[in-house]
Amino acid sequence: MKLRKVTAAAATALVLSLTATACGGDDGNDESGSGSSGGGDKIKIGIKYDQPGLGLKEPSGDFSGFDVDVATYVAKELGYEPDQIEWVETKSADRENALARGDVKFIAATYSITDERKEKVDFAGPYLLAHQDLLVKKDSDITEATDLNNKKLCSVAGSTSAQNVKDELAPDAQLRENGTYSECIAGLQSGAVDALTTDDSILAGFAAQDQYQGQFKLTGLKLSNENYGVGVKKGDTETVNKINEALEKMVSDGAWETAVKDNFGPAEYKNEPAPKIGDIVS
């Protein structure tokens, strides 16, 4: 077989062509989901895996919850179908780092907007106004935070919710810290504790589970304001604006209200109306 001689210029052109192909060029495919525009092969979204009604990984491997529904809707508006979403577990302590590293495109994980967090990440939203509340048994006589004096109050280790109640409202409350909210729920069910405190949306998610329906109630005390936002890497204004547009559409077309009812309805959760999108408060 006759070999054809390759000139230096041709070889250079070939190398440049292969290099451009290897770098992905401008084909719009973004495996990490960290690009500024949608339509890539995958988008990585941070959620919680252990919060029923908000972000839960089911035994089947599927994901459910209000945060999941919001994130799925937003991803659709950014150009990604549900099968293009890669869900990434982002625990509370690692959310800012996950965004800074580019592990995820955005995070929807009961991510309350605070001044401290706004120094590290940008937020779209808010998409839900929650409040710190108490979950008690259906027949409980606890109706005010002061009723917790000499009662057992449960929350998770490291949470400030229970300590705030004790410090400010019920100094004689007996704090019980567990590793997970599921343990607190089990204690509430058995009578080992009298109340559980955290955000009302989280409490409603647990109370709405099939095995707990009809056993618990929210007191509706609104002990704090928690504006949940979608966390985005600091400086990515383009993505923040696109997510805000998606959230506005989700509210206007009724999908937001449907998601609230689907995920919290069984717990008789009296949710606040959808907050004004783009009104970032802490």
Side-chain angles (χ1 to χ4, degrees):
M1 182 173 64
K2 187 176 181 181
L3 297 178
R4 188 166 53 184
K5 193 172 182 178
V6 179
T7 66
T12 300
L14 178 60
V15 169
L16 290 174
S17 174
L18 290 173
T19 301
T21 302
C23 291
D26 267 0
D27 62 2
N29 291 335
D30 184 357
E31 287 289 340
S32 68
S34 60
S36 61
S37 60
D41 288 343
K42 292 285 185 181
I43 183 170
K44 293 183 179 180
I45 302 174
I47 58 169
K48 294 287 183 67
Y49 276 21
D50 58 353
Q51 289 184 339
L54 287 154
L56 181 69
K57 185 175 183 179
E58 306 279 2
S60 65
D62 293 333
F63 296 88
S64 65
F66 182 72
D67 284 346
V68 173
D69 289 347
V70 168
T72 301
Y73 190 102
V74 168
K76 175 76 171 178
E77 293 302 304
L78 294 181
Y80 298 90
E81 297 298 327
D83 62 0
Q84 292 177 287
I85 297 173
E86 182 177 336
W87 300 110
V88 178
E89 183 177 21
T90 48
K91 297 182 179 180
S92 295
D94 195 46
R95 286 178 296 202
E96 287 82 24
N97 290 332
L99 288 169
R101 292 190 302 259
D103 295 346
V104 294
K105 181 66 173 176
F106 64 83
I107 293 175
T110 58
Y111 205 178
S112 295
I113 301 169
T114 67
D115 288 335
E116 181 181 4
R117 288 170 179 163
K118 285 191 289 186
E119 293 179 0
K120 301 175 182 177
V121 303
D122 286 337
F123 285 98
Y127 63 90
L128 184 71
L129 172 57
H131 307 282
Q132 183 185 343
D133 199 0
L134 304 175
L135 188 71
V136 297
K137 279 192 169 181
K138 202 78 168 182
D139 59 356
S140 174
D141 58 0
I142 296 173
T143 58
E144 300 290 341
T146 52
D147 295 334
L148 291 168
N149 282 310
N150 302 311
K151 299 287 181 66
K152 301 179 184 69
L153 175 63
C154 191
S155 194
V156 295
S159 169
T160 59
S161 299
Q163 190 63 52
N164 288 343
V165 171
K166 182 175 175 64
D167 290 345
E168 299 177 18
L169 300 167
D172 293 325
Q174 301 169 31
L175 299 188
R176 301 290 177 88
E177 289 188 322
N178 285 325
T180 65
Y181 289 117
S182 295
E183 293 176 86
C184 284
I185 287 281
L188 186 59
Q189 187 178 39
S190 69
V193 298
D194 300 296
L196 162 60
T197 187
T198 187
D199 295 356
D200 54 7
S201 58
I202 298 174
L203 297 174
F206 276 100
Q209 289 185 287
D210 290 342
Q211 67 266 40
Y212 299 133
Q213 284 185 28
Q215 297 184 43
F216 307 120
K217 65 181 179 181
L218 292 158
T219 57
L221 294 182
K222 299 183 180 180
L223 300 175
S224 71
N225 292 329
E226 307 294 337
N227 287 281
Y228 291 170
V230 177
V232 177
K233 188 174 183 178
K234 190 70 176 175
D236 190 357
T237 305
E238 181 182 356
T239 297
V240 169
N241 291 338
K242 288 182 178 180
I243 293 176
N244 278 337
E245 290 175 3
L247 293 173
E248 288 173 349
K249 182 178 178 181
M250 186 177 187
V251 172
S252 65
D253 69 12
W256 184 91
E257 188 65 35
T258 297
V260 169
K261 291 178 180 178
D262 288 347
N263 291 291
F264 304 126
E268 301 178 7
Y269 176 49
K270 296 178 176 60
N271 64 282
E272 298 280 5
K276 183 179 178 181
I277 309 301
D279 187 11
I280 299 298
V281 294
S282 60

